[in-house]
C-alpha cells in the first residue's frame, strides 16, 4: 500500500532525523544520548525511505553496504582504543586533544568509540531490515 | 605488559572486522583469517612466556582502577588456555580451506570463528564476573550463528536445543551474579574473594556457589545437563564442530575452576562432594551413551561429555596434584578432541559417510588417515605414552592419595570403555572391508595439505605432550599451586589493599 502522505513526509523527515541522530551522538558524552541511540535514529531515517520507496531507494542514499558499515564501525571502535596503547596507558583509556572545537568541545577517543557504535548500530539494523524487506519484495 | 593482555582480544577482533569488510572477496578473507589465526597464536605464546615465571599480569581497561573498572588478568592457567585455544583455531582455519563449502565461507564463517575466538580468550582473561558473562555471550552469539550456518534441517533442530539450554544457563549465571552483587557489592573476582572471606559463613554464599555451579555445569555439559551437546554438536560441518568440541565446554570447566578456587573456596565442603558425584555420573553416562551410537560424530560427541567428568574429578578432589591433573587434562583434551572431529571430517570425505555401517576399508585406502586417527583416539582412551595417559595417571594418583577409591575405580572403568568405543570406530571404519557400493574418493594434493596437515600437526602435539610429559606436568603443577594460593591473584589485582584479606 502506498501512502502519499507518508512518502511526502519521509522526504522531509529524512534529513531531520539524520541531523537529530548526529546531535544525539555528540550530546551523549554528558547527557542522555550516545552512539547507540544515535545509530537507531539514523536507521529509522533509512527505514522510512525503504518503507515508502522500496529497499533500492534507501540503498541508493546509503553511503556503503550495511555489512561494510558494520565493519567500519567496529574498526572505528577498535581504533579508539589504540592511541592509549601507543601512549603507554591501559587499553581504552580516554585521551583528549589539548584544544577545543566550537560547539562540540574537546575531541577525544571516547567520541571516536561512540561514532563506531553509531555506525555499527546503523549497519546492523539496516542489514536486518533490508534482508527481511527484500525477502518480502521478492 | 598491558599490550600482551589485550592482544589476544584485539587480534581476533581486527581479524573479524577484516573478514566482514572482505566478505565479497573470499580469497582475501581467507588470507586475513589465516593471518589472524597465526597472529593470535604468536600473541598468546608471548603472553604465556611472560607468565611462566609465576608473574600474574594485570591490566585495568580504560585505566579505571579495580574493583570499579574491568580487570584483565593472566596467570599460568589462563595464559595456557589462551595458547591451546589459538592452536586449535589455527588448525580449524587451515582445515576449513577444503573442509568447508564455499557457501558457508561466503556467509561469514571467518569473521564468526574469530569473534568466537575473541569471546573464548576474553572469558579466560577476565577478572570480573559480569565481564565473564559478557564474554560468554560474545562466544555464544557467534556459536549460535555458526551452529546453524547453512540452515540445514538437522542443523536447525540441533541449534534450537543448543540455544535454549545455553540461554537457561546464561539466566542462571546472571541470577547468581545478581545475588553475589547483592551480598558483597562487587563482581570483581578478587574483590569478591576478599569480601567473602571477611564475612561470617552464611547460606547465601552457598546458594550463589550452587547457582554458578549449575550455570557453568550446563556450559561444560556435566551430568545431568549435558543432553544439549549430543543433540547439536554433530550437525554443523566438522571444522566448526571441532572448534566447539575442543573449546566451548572447556570454557565452562575453566570458569568452574576459576570461581571454585578463587571466589567460592570457602564453600568447598559443600561443593566438592557434589562435584565428585557429578564427575562420576558424567563420565559413566557419557561413555555409555557413546557405546550405543553408530555415527562417528555422535560417538565423539558423547565422549566429550564423558571426558568432562575427568576434569571435574580433579576440581572435586581439590588437592594440588588433582588440580594439576585437571589443568593437564584440559590442555591435552582441547587438542585431542578438536583433532578427532577434524579426523571425522576427513573420514566423511574419504569414506563418503559418517555412519559406521556404511564405512570400511579406510586402512588400505588412506594409511595416513588411519595413523592420524589412532594418535588422538588412543590418547583419548589413555594409552601410554600419549598425552591422555599422563592426564589420567595424575588424576588417578591424586584420587588414591586423597582416599577416594570409588571415583578412581569409575575413572579406570570408563577409560577402558573409551578404549572399546575407539576400537569400535577403528574396526568398523578402518579395518572392515569396504561395504558394497561404496566408491573410493582419494584426496587431491590440495586436500591432503588442508585436511590431513592440521590433523597430523595436532597429532604431533599430542605425541610431544606424551613424550615430554614432565615439562607439561611441572607447568601444570605450578599452575595448580598458583590456583591454590588465591592471595597472589588478589594482591596482583587489588595491590596492597587486598594483601590483608
Amino acid at each position: 500500500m502506498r501512502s502519499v502522505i507518508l512518502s511526502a513526509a519521509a522526504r522531509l523527515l529524512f534529513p531531520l532525523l539524520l541531523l537529530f541522530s548526529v546531535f544525539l551522538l555528540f550530546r551523549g558524552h554528558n547527557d542522555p544520548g550516545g552512539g547507540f541511540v544515535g545509530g537507531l535514529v539514523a536507521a529509522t531515517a533509512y527505514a522510512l525511505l525503504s518503507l515508502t520507496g522500496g529497499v533500492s531507494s534507501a540503498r541508493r542514499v546509503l553511503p556503503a553496504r550495511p555489512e561494510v558499515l558494520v565493519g567500519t564501525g567496529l574498526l572505528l571502535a577498535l581504533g579508539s582504543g589504540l592511541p592509549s596503547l601507543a601512549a603507554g596507558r591501559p587499553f581504552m583509556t580516554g585521551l583528549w586533544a589539548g584544544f577545543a572545537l566550537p560547539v562540540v568541545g574537546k575531541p577525544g577517543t571516547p567520541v571516536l568509540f561512540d561514532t563506531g557504535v553509531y555506525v555499527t548500530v546503523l549497519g546492523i539494523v539496516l542489514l536486518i531490515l533490508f534482508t527481511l524487506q527484500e525477502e518480502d519484495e521478492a | 605488559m598491558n599490550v600482551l593482555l589485550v592482544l589476544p582480544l584485539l587480534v581476533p577482533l581486527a581479524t573479524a572486522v577484516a573478514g566482514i569488510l572482505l566478505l565479497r572477496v573470499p580469497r582475501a578473507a581467507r588470507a586475513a583469517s589465516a593471518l589472524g589465526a597465526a597472529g593470535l597464536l604468536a600473541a598468546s605464546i608471548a603472553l604465556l612466556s611472560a607468565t611462566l615465571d609465576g608473574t600474574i599480569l594485570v591490566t585495568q581497561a580504560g585505566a579505571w582502577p579495580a574493583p570499579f573498572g574491568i580487570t584483565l588478568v593472566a596467570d599460568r592457567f589462563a595464559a595456557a588456555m589462551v595458547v591451546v585455544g589459538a592452536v586449535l583455531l589455527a588448525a580449524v582455519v587451515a582445515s576449513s580451506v577444503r573442509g568447508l563449502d564455499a557457501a558457508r565461507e561466503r556467509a561469514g564463517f571467518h569473521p564468526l570463528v574469530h569473534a568466537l575466538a575473541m569471546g573464548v580468550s576474553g572469558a579466560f582473561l577476565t577478572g570480573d564476573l559480569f565481564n565473564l558473562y559478557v564474554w560468554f555471550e560474545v562466544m555464544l552469539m557467534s556459536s549460535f550463528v555458526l551452529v546453524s550456518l547453512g540452515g540445514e534441517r538437522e542443523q536447525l533442530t540441533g541449534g534450537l536445543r543448543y540455544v535454549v539450554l545455553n540461554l537457561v544457563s546464561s539466566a542462571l549465571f546472571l541470577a547468581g551474579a545478581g545475588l553475589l552483587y547483592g551480598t558483597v557489592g562487587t563482581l570483581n573476582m578478587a574483590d569478591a574473594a576478599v569480601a567473602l572471606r571477611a564475612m561470617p559463613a552464611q547460606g547465601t554464599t552457598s546458594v550463589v556457589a550452587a547457582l554458578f555451579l549449575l550455570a557453568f555445569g550446563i556450559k561444560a555439559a556435566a551430568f545431568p545437563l549435558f543432553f544439549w551437546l549430543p543433540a547439536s554438536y554433530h550437525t554443523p560441518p566438522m571444522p566448526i564442530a571441532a572448534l566447539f568440541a575442543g573449546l566451548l565446554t572447556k570454557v565452562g570447566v575453566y570458569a568452574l575452576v576459576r570461581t571454585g578456587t578463587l571466589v567460592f573456596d570457602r564453600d568447598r565442603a559443600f561443593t566438592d562432594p557434589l562435584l565428585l558425584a557429578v564427575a562420576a555420573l558424567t563420565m559413566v553416562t557419557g561413555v555409555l551413551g557413546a557405546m550405543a551410537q553408530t555415527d562417528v560424530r555422535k560417538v565423539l560427541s558423547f565422549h566429550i561429555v564423558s571426558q568432562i567428568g575427568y576434569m571435574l574429578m580433579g576440581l572435586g578432589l581439590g588437592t594440588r596434584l588433582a588440580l594439576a591433573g585437571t589443568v593437564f587434562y584440559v590442555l591435552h583434551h582441547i587438542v585431542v578432541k578438536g583433532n578427532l572431529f577434524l579426523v571425522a571430517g576427513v573420514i566423511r570425505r574419504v569414506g563418503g559417510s559418517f555412519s559406521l555401517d556404511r564405512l570400511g576399508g579406510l586402512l588400505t585406502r588412506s594409511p595416513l588417515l588411519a595413523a592420524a586417527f589412532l594418535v588422538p583416539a588412543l590418547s583419548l582412551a589413555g594409552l601410554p605414552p600419549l598425552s591422555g595417559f599422563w592426564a589420567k595417571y595424575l588424576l588417578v594418583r591424586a584420587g588414591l592419595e586423597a582416599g577416594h577409591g570409588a571415583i578412581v575405580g569409575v575413572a579406570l572403568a570408563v577409560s577402558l570403555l573409551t578404549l572399546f568405543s575407539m576400537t569400535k570406530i577403528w574396526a568398523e571404519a578402518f579395518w572392515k572391508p569396504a561395504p558394497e557400493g561404496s566408491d573410493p574418493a582419494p584426496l587431491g594434493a590440495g586436500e591432503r595439505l588442508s585436511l590431513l596437515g592440521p590433523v597430523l600437526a595436532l597429532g604431533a602435539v599430542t605425541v610431544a605432550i606424551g613424550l615430554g610429559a614432565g615439562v607439561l606436568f611441572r607447568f601444570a603443577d605450578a599452575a595448580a599451586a598458583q590456583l591454590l594460593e588465591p592471595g597472589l591473584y588478589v594482591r596482583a589485582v587489588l595491590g596492597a589493599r587486598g594483601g590483608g584479606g
Side-chain angles (χ1 to χ4, degrees):
Chain A
M1 189 196 73
R2 292 250 170 268
S3 153
V4 184
I5 301 173
L6 186 62
S7 351
R11 236 167 295 149
L12 287 173
L13 282 172
F14 179 72
L16 279 178
L17 280 170
L18 280 188
L19 209 60
F20 183 57
S21 74
V22 176
F23 164 72
L24 278 177
L25 165 67
F26 283 114
R27 179 188 145 90
H29 191 64
N30 290 322
D31 298 295
F36 196 89
V37 219
L40 283 179
V41 171
T44 342
Y46 286 97
L48 267 180
L49 278 194
S50 77
L51 282 174
T52 52
V55 175
S56 56
S57 72
R59 275 190 193 275
R60 251 198 313 280
V61 286
L62 196 64
R65 280 181 286 117
E67 57 266 34
V68 175
L69 286 181
V70 174
T72 315
L74 286 174
L75 199 63
L76 283 174
L78 172 66
S80 73
L82 298 182
S84 61
L85 279 184
R89 308 279 300 278
F91 181 59
M92 282 281 172
T93 307
L95 297 175
W96 282 268
F99 56 91
L101 294 175
V103 188
V104 290
K106 272 193 205 170
T109 53
V111 76
L112 191 62
F113 182 84
D114 248 359
T115 312
V117 174
Y118 175 100
V119 178
T120 308
V121 169
L122 174 64
I124 289 271
V125 173
L126 292 184
L127 190 61
I128 296 171
L129 192 72
F130 288 175
T131 312
L132 292 176
Q133 276 187 306
E134 273 165 356
E135 212 162 83
D136 221 28
E137 284 172 13
Chain B
M1 290 296 135
N2 276 326
V3 185
L4 284 183
L5 268 168
V6 290
L7 275 184
L9 307 175
L10 289 186
V11 172
L13 178 58
T15 316
V17 169
I20 294 172
L21 292 176
L22 297 171
L23 214 51
R24 300 256 168 124
V25 206
R27 231 167 225 287
R30 200 185 283 168
S33 176
L35 207 64
L40 179 60
L41 190 56
S44 61
I45 289 173
L47 178 67
L48 178 65
S49 56
T51 57
L52 275 184
D53 60 350
T55 317
I56 298 179
L57 295 180
V58 176
T59 188
Q60 317 285 357
W64 297 100
F68 308 110
I70 291 167
T71 314
L72 297 176
V73 193
D75 61 357
R76 290 189 181 104
F77 185 34
M81 292 296 280
V82 178
V83 171
V84 184
V87 168
L88 186 61
L89 177 75
V92 164
V93 167
S95 78
S96 74
V97 175
R98 289 298 170 97
L100 198 77
D101 50 302
R104 284 195 175 85
E105 210 174 354
R106 266 199 308 277
F109 166 78
H110 292 296
L112 285 165
V113 284
H114 286 279
L116 181 72
M118 175 174 73
V120 172
S121 303
F124 291 150
L125 293 177
T126 186
D128 182 284
L129 279 168
F130 190 75
N131 195 231
L132 179 64
Y133 170 80
V134 173
W135 288 123
F136 264 125
E137 294 304 302
V138 169
M139 199 169 86
L140 288 174
M141 244 176 303
S142 340
S143 63
F144 290 162
V145 186
L146 278 171
V147 82
S148 52
L149 197 65
E152 287 166 21
R153 192 191 169 84
E154 195 191 26
Q155 276 187 297
L156 293 180
T157 47
L160 191 66
R161 289 179 193 142
Y162 178 82
V163 169
V164 170
L165 249 291
N166 275 292
L167 284 181
V168 171
S169 156
S170 296
L172 290 172
F173 185 1
L174 212 52
L179 268 179
L180 182 67
Y181 190 77
T183 315
V184 296
T186 179
L187 285 174
N188 182 298
M189 288 193 230
D191 201 35
V194 173
L196 282 174
R197 258 179 215 96
M199 269 166 71
Q202 49 170 322
T204 326
T205 58
S206 294
V207 172
V208 176
L211 274 174
F212 278 105
L213 200 64
L214 201 59
F216 296 144
I218 295 178
K219 306 249 186 236
F223 182 87
L225 302 160
F226 61 86
F227 44 82
W228 58 271
L229 191 150
S232 60
Y233 270 26
H234 62 286
T235 57
M238 286 304 108
I240 294 173
L243 197 62
F244 282 24
L247 279 181
L248 296 190
T249 48
K250 263 54 78 184
V251 182
V253 174
Y254 173 85
L256 280 174
V257 172
R258 179 63 72 204
T259 53
T261 54
L262 178 64
V263 187
F264 300 116
D265 59 335
R266 281 208 321 186
D267 298 295
R268 299 202 62 147
F270 156 70
T271 53
D272 278 359
L274 194 64
L275 266 174
L276 282 179
V278 166
L281 287 166
T282 308
M283 283 188 247
V284 172
T285 44
V287 87
L288 291 182
M291 289 174 72
Q293 302 298 324
T294 54
D295 182 306
V296 179
R297 299 168 299 178
K298 287 198 177 168
V299 174
L300 294 178
S301 299
F302 272 103
H303 276 298
I304 303 176
V305 176
S306 159
Q307 301 279 311
I308 293 294
Y310 286 93
M311 301 168 204
L312 297 184
M313 172 183 162
L315 180 62
L317 290 171
T319 62
R320 176 164 163 176
L321 185 63
L323 271 181
T326 293
V327 171
F328 196 115
Y329 212 107
V330 176
L331 296 176
H332 124 84
H333 176 85
I334 291 176
V335 173
V336 163
K337 198 81 234 183
N339 195 2
L340 278 172
F341 270 83
L342 290 179
V343 170
V346 191
I347 290 181
R348 162 82 173 71
R349 165 66 189 76
V350 179
S353 174
F354 283 119
S355 164
L356 289 177
D357 302 332
R358 264 172 279 154
L359 283 167
L362 290 179
L363 181 59
T364 47
R365 211 178 277 172
S366 178
L368 207 54
L369 176 60
F373 170 74
L374 268 191
V375 171
L378 296 181
S379 175
L380 190 78
L383 252 63
L386 296 164
S387 57
F389 168 73
W390 300 107
K392 289 202 169 102
Y393 171 75
L394 288 176
L395 287 175
V396 165
R397 213 178 119 184
L400 290 177
E401 276 178 15
H404 286 281
I407 193 150
V408 169
V410 173
L412 290 175
V414 166
S415 121
L416 203 65
L417 292 175
T418 308
L419 183 63
F420 166 78
S421 185
M422 289 299 120
T423 46
K424 183 172 78 178
I425 298 182
W426 174 255
E428 294 284 322
F430 290 90
W431 244 3
K432 166 182 94 179
E436 295 286 317
S438 70
D439 56 318
L443 296 173
E447 281 178 318
R448 270 172 184 277
L449 190 65
S450 161
L451 295 181
L452 284 179
V455 164
L456 292 173
L458 291 181
V461 173
T462 303
V463 173
I465 294 178
L467 297 180
V471 179
L472 188 61
F473 169 68
R474 274 191 293 280
F475 174 80
D477 187 49
Q482 221 171 22
L483 287 173
L484 285 174
E485 194 72 57
L488 295 173
Y489 186 101
V490 169
R491 264 194 299 281
V493 173
L494 298 177
R497 190 170 79 74

